[in-house]
């Protein structure tokens, strides 16, 4: 006999009878079946309850809509009776009130007193015979001669005078509009009068500046216009440009005012 067999033989063996197992099985099976049926019935009942509530709500909505559309029969007038005589008298037509005619007697002329009536004189036969007029068998050939004063109506004719606007004579020109533009006679002198800005010198800046000046009929600068070029040189050009002198610009042989562009070059000397 081995050791394993000895251990197994020492363990007490518990045995259950077949009737007890069947009884427990039946008991638990009944409980589970009852619980399952109850759960299914509960779910079905809840589902049916929800459907019933939805149907009730839909019916209430339909009833409300029908009530809105239904007209109370008692509010309507009763229909005409079939036995009522169809030959009813026609509705009364209101008589139109016509204003009485105006009194036309006021418009009839009043008789004038005999004293106020104009006296009509009838010419006698002798007076009618004294009237002589040239009459011929072929017709009236006499010419009517009027010896009274002749009145002639004079018609005044309004004369329309067309005003011809004279072109306004131009007083200020540009240098390309004149026959002979002004010429600067002291450009180099004014260029030498200018001082090189210290800021431009330190920054080693060079450039070209052009200035527009208005030259009068005597060749003097009377107005400074626009200045183009580096900003650092503009103040110097603006201060020295009035010293420029020009020959007068000519248009049709006469001196005129002309706008002229004058360039200035700023170069550093090595």
């Amino acid at each position: 006999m081995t050791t394993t067999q000895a251990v197994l033989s020492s363990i007490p063996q518990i045995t259950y009878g077949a009737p007890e197992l069947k009884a427990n099985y039946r008991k638990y099976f009944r409980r589970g079946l009852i619980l399952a049926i109850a759960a299914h019935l509960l779910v079905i009942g809840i589902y049916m309850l929800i459907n019933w509530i939805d149907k009730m709500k839909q019916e209430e909505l339909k009833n409300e809509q029908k009530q809105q559309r239904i007209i109370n029969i008692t509010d309507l007038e009763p229909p005409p009776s079939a036995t009522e005589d169809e030959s009813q008298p026609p509705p009364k037509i209101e008589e139109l009130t016509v204003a009485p005619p105006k009194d036309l007697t006021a418009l009839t002329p009043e008789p004038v007193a005999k004293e106020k009536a104009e006296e009509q004189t009838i010419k006698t036969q002798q007076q009618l015979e004294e009237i002589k007029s040239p009459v011929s068998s072929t017709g009236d050939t006499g010419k009517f001669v009027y010896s009274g004063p002749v009145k002639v109506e004079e018609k005044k004719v309004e004369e329309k005078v067309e005003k011809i606007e004279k072109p306004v004579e131009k007083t200020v020109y540009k240098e390309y509009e004149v026959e002979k533009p002004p010429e600067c006679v002291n450009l180099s002198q004014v260029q030498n009068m200018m001082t090189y800005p210290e800021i431009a010198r330190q920054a080693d800046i060079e450039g070209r500046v052009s200035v527009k000046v208005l030259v009068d009929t005597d060749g003097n600068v009377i107005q400074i216009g626009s200045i183009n070029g580096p900003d650092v040189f503009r103040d110097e050009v603006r201060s020295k440009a009035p010293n420029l002198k020009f020959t007068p610009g000519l248009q049709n042989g006469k001196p005129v005012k002309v706008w002229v562009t004058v360039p200035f070059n700023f170069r550093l000397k090595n």
Side-chain angles (χ1 to χ4, degrees):
M1 188 175 180
T2 61
T3 305
T4 304
Q5 292 177 352
V7 172
L8 292 174
S9 61
S10 62
I11 297 173
Q13 294 181 358
I14 301 172
T15 58
Y16 296 96
E20 293 178 356
L21 289 173
K22 290 181 179 180
N24 291 331
Y25 172 76
R26 289 176 180 175
K27 181 177 67 175
Y28 288 114
F29 177 76
R30 288 176 183 174
R31 290 180 180 177
L33 183 60
I34 291 169
L35 291 174
I37 292 171
H40 281 81
L41 292 175
L42 180 63
V43 171
I44 293 170
I46 292 171
Y47 176 75
M48 293 178 68
L49 180 63
I50 292 172
N51 288 337
W52 181 77
I53 292 171
D54 291 339
K55 288 181 180 179
M56 293 297 293
K57 289 183 178 179
Q58 291 178 0
E59 289 179 359
E60 289 179 358
L61 291 173
K62 290 180 180 179
N63 292 331
E64 289 179 357
Q65 293 177 356
K66 288 181 180 179
Q67 289 177 0
Q68 291 178 359
R69 295 178 182 177
I70 293 173
I71 300 173
N72 191 0
I73 298 175
T74 58
D75 295 338
L76 297 175
E77 295 181 357
S81 177
T83 60
E84 187 178 359
D85 187 8
E86 295 182 356
S87 60
Q88 294 181 354
K92 293 182 179 181
I93 300 173
E94 295 181 359
E95 295 181 358
L96 298 176
T97 57
V98 181
K102 295 182 179 180
D103 187 8
L104 300 178
T105 57
L107 301 178
T108 56
E110 296 180 357
V112 182
K114 191 174 182 180
E115 299 82 24
K116 297 181 180 179
E118 294 181 356
E119 296 180 356
Q120 296 182 356
T121 57
I122 300 174
K123 294 183 179 181
T124 60
Q125 184 64 30
Q126 184 178 359
Q127 291 177 348
L128 292 175
E129 291 177 355
E130 291 179 355
I131 298 173
K132 294 180 181 181
S133 56
V135 179
S136 65
S137 60
T138 58
D140 189 4
T141 58
K143 295 184 180 180
F144 177 76
V145 179
Y146 179 74
S147 60
V150 179
K151 184 179 179 181
V152 180
E153 294 182 358
E154 297 180 357
K155 295 183 180 180
K156 295 181 180 179
V157 180
E158 296 181 357
E159 296 179 357
K160 295 182 180 180
V161 180
E162 295 181 358
K163 295 182 180 180
I164 301 174
E165 295 182 357
K166 296 181 179 180
V168 179
E169 187 176 356
K170 198 170 183 179
T171 58
V172 179
Y173 297 84
K174 296 180 182 179
E175 55 185 332
Y176 59 83
E177 296 177 342
V178 295
E179 297 174 353
K180 183 179 180 182
E183 295 179 2
C184 187
V185 296
N186 63 340
L187 180 60
S188 59
Q189 296 177 3
V190 176
Q191 180 77 46
N192 295 330
M193 290 171 57
M194 294 185 179
T195 57
Y196 210 93
E198 188 63 26
I199 297 175
R201 190 184 303 278
Q202 292 178 2
D204 197 15
I205 298 175
E206 296 181 347
R208 178 186 177 90
V209 180
S210 59
V211 58
K212 287 186 177 181
V213 295
L214 181 60
V215 181
D216 63 2
T217 56
D218 295 329
N220 299 320
V221 176
I222 57 175
Q223 187 176 347
I224 304 295
S226 61
I227 300 176
N228 297 322
D231 295 340
V232 69
F233 303 118
R234 293 188 181 185
D235 291 340
E236 186 67 20
V237 172
R238 187 178 290 106
S239 62
K240 299 298 190 297
N243 297 322
L244 295 171
K245 298 292 182 182
F246 294 85
T247 59
L250 299 179
Q251 179 69 5
N252 296 327
K254 296 180 181 180
V256 292
K257 297 178 182 180
V258 185
W259 281 101
V260 181
T261 301
V262 182
F264 292 96
N265 295 320
F266 289 86
R267 297 286 184 267
L268 290 172
K269 296 180 181 179
N270 297 329

